[in-house]
Amino acid sequence: MAVTSRIGFRGRLVTVMVTMVAIVSLSIGALLMLYLFEDEKARALEQLSLGEQVAEEVLERRTSLILSRLDVVVRDFGFRSAVASGDRATTDSALTNQAQRVNADFAVLLGSDGRILADTDGLPEAFTNSPLVTEMLSKARQTGFASQMSVFGADGFELLTIPVEAPGLRAWLIAGFSVNGDLTDIIGQLSGTEVLFRAFSGEDHGYQILTDPGSINLSRLDELNNAMARTSDENQFLESTHYFTRIKNLTGNEMPALQLLLLINRDARLSNYYERAWEILLLVSAVLALAALIALIIARNMGRPVLQLADYAKAIGDGDTPTPPHIRAGGELAELRRALGDMLSKLRDREEQIHYAASHDEITGLPNRNAFLSRLREQFNSNRPCSLMGLRLNDISDVNDTLGLEFGDKVLRSVSTRLEEALPGSSSLARTGGAEFLMMVAPQSQSELDKLAMKLSKIVESPLFIDNTPFSLRCTMVTLQLPQDAIDTDQVRRRLNLTFEQAQKSRLPVTHYQPGHDENHLRELQLISDLHHAIASNGLHMNYQPKLDMASASFYQAEALVRWIHPDLGFISPEEFIFLAEQSGQITDLTRHILRRVANDAGKWHAAGLNIGVAINLSALDLTRPELAREVAEAFTQWQLPMSSITLEVTESALMEDPETAFETLRRLRQLGVTLSVDDFGTGYSSLSQLRKLPVQELKIDKSFVLRLNTEPQDQLIVRSTIDMAHGLGLRVVAEGIENVESWALLRDWGCESGQGFFLSRPVGVGDLQDTEKSLANRQQELRDTGETTS
C-alpha cells in the first residue's frame, strides 16, 4: 500500500495502460499463432482445391485435345473409306494406324447396333462386356460425344466416344488413353503438389496406386492408404500424420473407381508456422518493451489521422471523388493515404473499362447493340429524325465454319473499317449481331438513302484481301426512316428483323421497310398462341374427302383434312396454320391430335356399318420422329379393318429432304402394316433412285396436273408418263383434283387405280359420310359406264 500510495495518478495510468498493452499483445500473439496454424492448414486446403481445379482443367484440355484429334480421324477420307468397305482386315488396319496416330492405347469401332466392326491390339478383355460401353454410346447419341474415366485391370484409362458419319454409314469410335506418369507430372508441376492415381481393385485388394509414387516414402504411403480407408467416400479432404490430401473421384458412381490424389507434405507446410511463431514471440516482447514509452503518443497522434483516413475511405466506398486528407505524419499513414488514392484512381479506370466493354463490340471495337439502342433512344427523346440502314453479311457463318473463327473476325474488322471510311462524318455505326451492322445517318430522302445504301453494299461486296487472299462477300441491305417507320427502339428492332426477312425473300439490292408486315407478324403470333388452345380444347375439326377405286367406282377410303375456324379470324388455311405449327414446334401435338380424332371418327362410321379406310397426311417434321410409329399404333388400337386400309401420306419434298431418316421412319410405319403414299408427286425434285428404295406402296399425282387434264396435252403427257413410271416401280397411283368426267375417263383408261376430286365429292364432315356413300353408290354404275376416251 505504501508503494502504491507513492505512485501518482500518471504512474498508475501508465501502469494500467502497459498492463492492458501486455494483455492485448500476449492475447493477440496467442490468437495470431493459432490463426497462423489454421491459416497454414487453410492454405494447404486452398492449394489442394486450386490443384483440383488445375487437375480438372488439365484433364478437360487433354480431353478437348484428344477429341479434336479424333475428330480429324473420323473425318479422314481414307479411314471412312476403310470403314465403309466392310472388310474387317482393312478396317482393323486403318483403325490401328489412326490409333497410333493419336497415341491411343487401344481403340474399337462399333456399329450403330453395338456390334464390334474393328479393334486394335491391347483391347482389355473386360472392355467388350462392360456396361460402360452401352452407357457411353447412349450418352454420345444424345450429346455427340462421350468421355468417361475407367479402370481395366491395373491401369486407368480415359475413354472417348465419337461418331463416324458418312453417307450410308454410321458407326462409333471408342478410344482409350492411359492415365500415365506424364499426366501426374504435368498436374504436379502446375499445382505445386504431389499427384497419384489409385483404383479400386476389388474387396480383396482394396485401392491400389496406379502411378509411380515418386518421392513419397513407401511406409508413409501405407500410412496414407490406411487413413484413407478409415474415412468415408464423401470426405474429399484428408489430414493424416504426414500429408494433407485431396481425393477426387474421376469415375463418379461407376466401379471400379478411379481416384486422383493431390498431396502436400504436412511437415514442410507447418515448418513455416514454427518459424513465424518464434518471430511473433520476439515481436510481442519488443512491443511490450516499447509499449510504456509510446502508448500515449500513439493514442494521441494516431487517432485523428486514422479517423480522417476512415472518412476518406468511406467517401470512396460511396462512389464520391473526395480530396485526400492532409496528414502530417508520414510512414504507414501516408502510404495508406496514397494507397487509397491509387485505389480511387484504379476504380475509376476499371469503371471506364467496364463501361467500354459493355457498350462496344469486342471484335471490331464498334459500339454494340446496347450503345446503338441508347443512341436511338436519345434521338427519339429529342424528336430528331434520322435515317437508319441495316447490313447483314450473308456468308459469315460459312466463313467461320470453313476458314475458322479467326479468319471470320478479320473479315468483320475489314468490313467495319470499310463502313467507317464510307459513311458520312456525322454517322453512327455499330455491330449489333454476329453478322449485322446498323448505321444511323442524318435525315435523307428515300432516293438519297437508297443511293448511299447501294454504295455501301458495293463497297462491302467488293473483294477483300485477308492474309493476302482475295475474298468476296454477299450482303443484305435494308433501310428505315425514323420516326416515320418506327417510333421507339422496340419497333425499330422488330421492323428491322421483318425487313431483313423480306429482303431475303425479295433478293433486292436494298429493301425499305413496308408498312403492314407488322400485322402479318402479329397475326402469326396470335395464330401460334391460339393454335395451342385449339388443339387442347378440341377446337379443330375434321373433314373427309372420298377416294374411289376407278375400276369399280367404289368408295373405299376417305382422306382426312383438318380444318380450323378461328373464333375471331374465321377460316384459317391448313397450309398457313400447319406451317406455323412446324415453325413453332407444335406439329407433334397437332399430329397426335389428328391421329386420335381420325381414329375416333373412324370408329363411329365403322359402328354405323360404313367399312371404309382412311388416309392421313403427315408433316415433313413427323418423319424425323422415331416415336411416330408407336403413336400411330396407340391411336388405332381399336381399328376394325386391316391396317393396310390406313394410308399415311407424306409429301415428295419431305421424303427427299433427308431420305435416310425418312426411310427409317417409314420402315417402322410399314412394320405396322399401314399403306404408305407419296403425296403431291411431281411438285418436288425427286430422285428416282431414292424413290424406288423407299417402302411406299402408293404414289399420289398432284392436283395441279389433273385439274385441266381434259384440255392440256402437256398435263396429259406428264400424268400418263407418271402412271407408267409408278407401275414400273410397282406402285399404285392415286389422282387428286378430278374436276370432270373427261379427266375421270382418261385416268381410268391409263390404268390409274384411285381418284378423288370435286367431280366425285367435296370434303364432308364425319356425320355426312353415310349420305355421301349413298350418293356415290347411286353414281357408281354411271361412272363404270363412262365411255373410253383417247389421249
Side-chain angles (χ1 to χ4, degrees):
M1 287 293 294
V3 174
T4 306
S5 63
R6 290 196 296 266
I7 299 176
F9 175 77
R10 183 176 297 180
R12 290 195 298 272
L13 181 60
V14 171
T15 302
V16 171
M17 292 186 64
V18 170
T19 303
M20 292 179 61
V21 170
I23 294 173
V24 171
S25 298
L26 291 173
S27 300
I28 290 176
L31 290 174
L32 189 57
M33 291 174 64
L34 178 61
Y35 166 78
L36 288 175
F37 178 82
E38 294 298 327
D39 180 63
E40 289 294 339
K41 181 178 176 180
R43 290 172 62 186
L45 178 58
E46 181 179 0
Q47 185 175 354
L48 288 174
S49 299
L50 180 61
E52 182 180 7
Q53 297 176 12
V54 170
E56 291 176 351
E57 180 68 16
V58 170
L59 292 174
E60 288 179 3
R61 289 183 179 274
R62 180 177 185 259
T63 301
S64 298
L65 179 60
I66 294 173
L67 280 174
S68 65
R69 292 175 178 174
L70 291 178
D71 186 62
V72 172
V73 168
V74 299
R75 294 175 182 274
D76 184 78
F77 178 78
F79 178 70
R80 289 183 176 181
S81 300
V83 176
S85 68
D87 183 72
R88 180 62 181 264
T90 302
T91 309
D92 282 346
S93 175
L95 183 61
T96 300
N97 292 336
Q98 296 295 346
Q100 293 174 353
R101 177 181 174 187
V102 298
N103 297 324
D105 293 88
F106 65 86
V108 61
L109 189 67
L110 302 178
S112 58
D113 55 357
R115 180 173 53 85
I116 296 180
L117 304 179
D119 59 11
T120 63
D121 295 337
L123 183 68
E125 295 181 0
F127 174 81
T128 306
N129 299 323
S130 173
L132 184 61
V133 176
T134 303
E135 295 175 6
M136 292 187 67
L137 288 179
S138 176
K139 181 178 178 182
R141 288 188 179 100
Q142 297 175 3
T143 64
F145 76 95
S147 172
Q148 179 66 46
M149 292 287 187
S150 187
V151 178
F152 296 105
D155 294 316
F157 295 92
E158 182 178 10
L159 304 179
L160 292 170
T161 304
I162 189 171
V164 181
E165 297 179 328
L169 172 67
R170 183 176 179 86
W172 298 94
L173 173 63
I174 302 179
F177 298 83
S178 174
V179 179
N180 51 36
D182 294 338
L183 187 58
T184 60
D185 292 341
I186 293 172
I187 297 174
Q189 292 172 5
L190 293 176
S191 63
T193 64
E194 298 182 69
V195 182
L196 295 175
F197 284 93
R198 71 168 188 165
F200 185 76
S201 302
E203 296 293 335
D204 296 333
H205 300 89
Y207 280 94
Q208 300 294 324
I209 300 299
L210 300 183
T211 53
D212 183 6
S215 61
I216 301 177
N217 186 280
L218 293 180
S219 62
R220 291 187 175 184
L221 189 60
D222 292 336
E223 182 267 336
L224 178 63
N225 279 328
N226 293 333
M228 287 190 290
R230 293 191 297 270
T231 189
S232 63
D233 293 338
E234 293 80 9
N235 190 3
Q236 296 182 339
F237 177 74
L238 175 66
E239 179 181 357
S240 59
T241 304
H242 296 97
Y243 292 100
F244 294 112
T245 307
R246 187 79 173 187
I247 306 172
K248 179 173 178 58
N249 196 341
L250 300 178
T251 55
N253 297 325
E254 299 290 337
M255 294 299 290
L258 178 64
Q259 294 180 338
L260 174 69
L261 306 182
L262 302 172
L263 300 94
I264 294 178
N265 190 298
R266 180 188 177 95
D267 296 335
R269 174 63 70 178
L270 293 181
S271 63
N272 296 331
Y273 164 74
Y274 299 123
E275 293 177 3
R276 293 180 181 178
W278 178 250
E279 293 171 356
I280 290 173
L281 181 60
L282 294 177
L283 180 61
V284 169
S285 300
V287 169
L288 288 175
L290 297 174
L293 300 175
I294 63 174
L296 293 176
I297 299 174
I298 291 176
R300 180 178 179 181
N301 295 332
M302 290 292 293
R304 186 180 299 108
V306 168
L307 291 175
Q308 291 175 342
L309 289 174
D311 292 338
Y312 182 48
K314 184 177 182 300
I316 292 175
D318 292 338
D320 299 332
T321 308
T323 302
H326 178 70
I327 297 177
R328 294 179 180 179
E332 290 81 0
L333 291 178
E335 184 65 26
L336 178 58
R337 184 184 65 176
R338 287 193 294 270
L340 290 173
D342 292 342
M343 181 180 70
L344 176 61
S345 177
K346 291 178 180 178
L347 284 173
R348 294 292 176 263
D349 293 340
R350 192 169 302 169
E351 287 177 358
E352 291 178 1
Q353 293 174 4
I354 293 172
H355 181 267
Y356 182 86
S359 59
H360 286 76
D361 175 52
E362 180 181 2
I363 296 174
T364 62
L366 295 174
N368 60 15
R369 177 185 293 271
N370 292 333
F372 191 81
L373 292 179
S374 178
R375 178 73 184 276
L376 271 181
R377 291 189 191 96
E378 293 177 3
Q379 291 287 124
F380 286 125
N381 292 337
S382 59
N383 296 320
R384 288 178 293 173
C386 65
S387 298
L388 190 65
M389 292 182 291
L391 181 145
R392 282 184 182 175
L393 303 177
N394 300 337
D395 309 314
I396 195 65
S397 59
D398 295 334
V399 172
N400 289 334
D401 293 341
T402 57
L403 301 178
L405 294 176
E406 183 177 356
F407 191 90
D409 291 346
K410 292 181 180 179
V411 171
L412 290 173
R413 284 191 285 269
S414 298
V415 170
S416 66
T417 300
R418 287 188 169 187
L419 291 174
E420 284 183 302
E421 294 174 350
L423 282 170
S426 60
S427 304
S428 296
L429 172 65
R431 178 175 176 240
T432 55
E436 181 180 277
F437 295 86
L438 293 185
M439 293 150 280
M440 183 166 55
V441 297
Q444 301 184 28
S445 66
Q446 189 59 48
S447 60
E448 292 174 340
L449 186 61
D450 289 344
K451 289 179 182 179
L452 179 58
M454 286 290 293
K455 174 186 174 182
L456 295 176
S457 177
K458 291 179 181 179
I459 290 174
V460 170
E461 292 184 345
S462 62
L464 290 167
F465 285 88
I466 307 296
D467 296 335
N468 296 322
T469 301
F471 187 82
S472 296
L473 290 169
R474 293 179 299 109
C475 67
T476 300
M477 182 73 74
V478 301
T479 63
L480 277 78
Q481 296 283 14
L482 304 181
Q484 297 93 317
D485 295 332
I487 59 173
D488 56 40
T489 55
D490 289 338
Q491 284 191 359
V492 168
R493 294 172 63 184
R494 183 172 70 249
R495 292 178 178 179
L496 268 175
N497 288 332
L498 291 173
T499 310
F500 271 122
E501 292 176 4
Q502 184 64 28
Q504 291 292 336
K505 298 175 182 177
S506 65
R507 302 290 183 181
L508 295 174
V510 178
T511 303
H512 183 69
Y513 168 72
Q514 298 296 325
H517 290 289
D518 270 347
E519 288 72 10
N520 294 334
H521 181 66
L522 295 175
R523 170 186 167 89
E524 290 179 354
L525 293 178
Q526 181 183 359
L527 289 179
I528 290 173
S529 175
D530 294 346
L531 179 59
H532 175 76
H533 180 265
I535 294 173
S537 62
N538 223 22
L540 305 176
H541 67 275
M542 303 301 301
N543 280 355
Y544 297 91
Q545 185 173 30
K547 294 170 65 176
L548 273 63
D549 178 80
M550 302 198 75
S552 63
S554 58
F555 178 16
Y556 76 98
Q557 195 177 63
E559 179 180 4
L561 303 172
V562 63
R563 295 292 183 262
W564 184 19
I565 307 299
H566 191 279
D568 298 324
L569 303 177
F571 176 77
I572 307 299
S573 167
E575 288 80 5
E576 182 179 6
F577 71 79
I578 290 176
F579 171 77
L580 293 177
E582 293 176 336
Q583 296 298 309
S584 62
Q586 299 185 73
I587 190 62
T588 299
D589 294 335
L590 179 59
T591 300
R592 291 172 182 161
H593 176 75
I594 291 174
L595 290 174
R596 291 192 296 267
R597 287 287 301 273
V598 170
N600 183 61
D601 289 347
K604 293 178 181 178
W605 73 58
H606 289 163
L610 185 58
N611 294 323
I612 60 172
V614 68
I616 305 171
N617 293 282
L618 297 179
S619 165
L621 295 181
D622 289 326
L623 298 185
T624 64
R625 299 192 297 112
E627 64 273 15
L628 178 62
R630 174 181 54 81
E631 293 172 358
V632 172
E634 291 175 353
F636 289 94
T637 52
Q638 304 299 321
W639 185 251
Q640 299 180 16
L641 300 180
M643 290 298 290
S644 59
S645 63
I646 300 174
T647 299
L648 300 180
E649 300 182 359
V650 291
T651 62
E652 180 185 6
S653 58
L655 293 173
M656 295 306 114
E657 282 180 4
D658 189 355
E660 185 176 348
T661 303
F663 179 86
E664 179 60 26
T665 303
L666 293 177
R667 184 186 63 79
R668 295 180 182 181
L669 291 172
R670 189 69 188 101
Q671 290 176 349
L672 298 178
V674 301
T675 299
L676 301 176
S677 176
V678 179
D679 195 11
D680 297 340
F681 186 81
T683 60
Y685 300 93
S686 300
S687 169
L688 296 181
S689 63
Q690 292 288 354
L691 183 61
R692 64 184 178 85
K693 296 178 184 178
L694 294 171
V696 298
Q697 296 80 47
E698 184 178 279
L699 185 149
K700 192 171 186 180
I701 301 175
D702 186 70
K703 63 182 179 181
S704 62
F705 300 105
V706 181
L707 290 173
R708 294 178 297 276
L709 187 64
N710 60 319
T711 59
E712 293 290 343
Q714 289 186 344
D715 287 348
Q716 294 176 10
L717 177 61
I718 292 173
V719 171
R720 187 168 188 175
S721 300
T722 301
I723 293 173
D724 292 340
M725 179 204 69
H727 289 163
L729 295 174
L731 304 177
R732 288 170 42 86
V733 180
V734 178
E736 62 175 340
I738 301 176
E739 297 289 317
N740 49 68
V741 67
E742 291 83 4
S743 297
W744 165 272
L746 285 171
L747 290 166
R748 189 191 63 180
D749 292 345
W750 293 339
C752 180
E753 284 82 2
S754 304
Q756 65 184 98
F758 287 177
F759 170 67
L760 304 173
S761 174
R762 291 179 176 272
V764 297
V766 63
D768 298 325
L769 271 179
Q770 282 188 294
D771 293 339
T772 302
E773 191 270 340
K774 294 177 182 178
S775 174
L776 290 172
N778 295 333
R779 296 180 57 193
Q780 187 173 7
Q781 187 61 43
E782 171 193 347
L783 293 172
R784 281 203 301 261
D785 293 343
T786 300
E788 295 188 357
T789 62
T790 58
S791 61

